[in-house]
Amino acid sequence: MNEREVSTISAKEYGLPDEEIVAEIPIYLTHRIAKNLHLLQYPQRASHARPGELNPSVARFKPIHGQIEMDIQLDVASPMYNKERGRDLGVGLSDNGRILDIQTLVSVNIPKSSNYMAGAFRDGALHLTPIEKITQLRPSLKYLDRVAEKELAASKLDNDDDDDEDGKKEMKAQTIQVTVRSAQAEEALRQQQNSISYLQQKLEEEPWSKLSYYDVGSEESSMVSSKLVARHTDNLVCKTSPDEFLTAIIGSIEPDVL
């Protein structure tokens, strides 16, 4: 902290409790990477886990729907790993006798209840970048669905052909039911398109794009982190009081909270 940052301004001038302000820190707002800055949360990870320990073997992304998946290697050599159960569940990954050796984390978007920013402190100044989206990564259990599907298919081999024929006939009948859509049909179609099943189908249809994962401490991570610092530090004229500004970004607050 240098001399120009030391201040003797009374806190009362800012409408704050009467305490001495020992320093003022410049704050700069930057949007250099704001559109691509996501906050990833891991609510089910151990509390003692540290940055740099995630190290996924594969990461992928669906840009249209904003879904992220990461495959995390499991320690199958650990004495705590049940290899017999791992072979049973590995059927949900492949049919070649593979054991369950990965845990897939899938993203769940969290509605923003307030505005979040990432801060970088450089040379006595605080640089803030708005966060575009908040996402929680939770374990995916799709492999259990695949195991159940294979078990069901094995128990109904004799009925598969009949079920397929019935399904095809039913689909054909549904396809040619209406040739000219009425207003009611148009409304029903809009409701269908907005349904959860329709949105899930569109999500499944979007292909995955491969992601390269760079953890904290890597050269690539450091390069992106440098973009959290504003390139332009022109002074801005504030048109609101501190109370008004805080209320705008975090909602109504009581004066004694400040």
Side-chain angles (χ1 to χ4, degrees):
M1 202 72 65
N2 56 41
E3 291 183 0
R4 70 179 178 83
E5 294 167 336
V6 177
S7 172
T8 58
I9 299 176
S10 170
K12 287 185 177 181
E13 296 185 35
Y14 288 105
L16 303 177
D18 189 15
E19 296 179 359
E20 179 185 4
I21 297 178
V22 297
E24 288 185 337
I25 300 174
I27 298 178
Y28 302 110
L29 183 64
T30 176
H31 290 79
R32 295 174 65 184
I33 59 172
K35 291 184 178 180
N36 298 311
L37 188 60
H38 294 196
L39 174 62
L40 302 184
Q41 299 176 335
Y42 304 89
Q44 294 181 312
R45 291 205 69 195
S47 59
H48 57 76
R50 295 175 296 178
E53 294 182 352
L54 188 62
N55 194 26
S57 58
V58 177
R60 46 193 172 268
F61 179 54
K62 291 188 176 184
I64 296 177
H65 291 87
Q67 188 174 55
I68 301 172
E69 279 192 357
M70 296 183 186
D71 291 342
I72 312 298
Q73 289 294 137
L74 297 177
D75 184 7
V76 297
S78 169
M80 303 299 293
Y81 182 83
N82 188 330
K83 292 186 178 181
E84 182 178 354
R85 184 57 176 160
R87 280 190 290 270
D88 293 340
L89 297 178
V91 176
L93 299 180
S94 68
D95 296 320
N96 59 6
R98 177 182 177 183
I99 65 173
L100 185 68
D101 57 354
I102 62 171
Q103 180 186 60
T104 298
L105 301 180
V106 62
S107 63
V108 178
N109 292 331
I110 304 300
K112 293 172 64 175
S113 58
S114 59
N115 296 314
Y116 287 79
M117 293 186 178
F121 197 74
R122 295 288 189 279
D123 300 325
L126 179 61
H127 302 257
L128 299 178
T129 301
I131 291 176
E132 175 71 13
K133 184 181 292 186
I134 303 172
T135 299
Q136 289 188 352
L137 288 168
R138 298 177 176 272
S140 171
L141 301 179
K142 284 186 177 180
Y143 64 90
L144 292 179
D145 295 334
R146 298 189 190 104
V147 170
E149 289 171 1
K150 291 180 179 180
E151 291 176 349
L152 182 62
S155 65
K156 294 185 177 181
L157 286 176
D158 294 338
N159 298 325
D160 281 349
D161 292 338
D162 293 339
D163 292 342
D164 289 343
E165 287 299 321
D166 293 342
K168 290 179 181 178
K169 292 178 181 178
E170 183 179 350
M171 289 176 63
K172 289 180 180 178
Q174 292 175 351
T175 303
I176 60 174
Q177 277 182 358
V178 179
T179 55
V180 179
R181 291 195 184 110
S182 63
Q184 292 83 357
E186 290 287 353
E187 178 62 25
L189 179 61
R190 280 193 293 270
Q191 292 179 358
Q192 178 190 10
Q193 290 176 339
N194 291 328
S195 67
I196 295 177
S197 59
Y198 177 81
L199 296 176
Q200 183 64 31
Q201 177 185 351
K202 300 302 291 184
L203 172 62
E204 295 293 340
E205 290 174 353
E206 183 184 355
W208 288 105
S209 299
K210 185 177 179 180
L211 282 179
S212 297
Y213 182 89
Y214 301 105
D215 216 325
V216 61
S218 65
E219 182 179 347
E220 291 80 5
S221 174
S222 299
M223 181 180 65
V224 173
S225 297
S226 67
K227 296 181 180 180
L228 294 173
V229 178
R231 287 181 292 188
H232 305 289
T233 56
D234 300 332
N235 291 330
L236 300 178
V237 178
C238 185
K239 296 183 178 180
T240 61
S241 68
D243 283 356
E244 292 171 333
F245 176 74
L246 291 175
T247 300
I249 62 174
I250 65 174
S252 179
I253 57 175
E254 297 295 331
D256 58 357
V257 174
L258 294 174

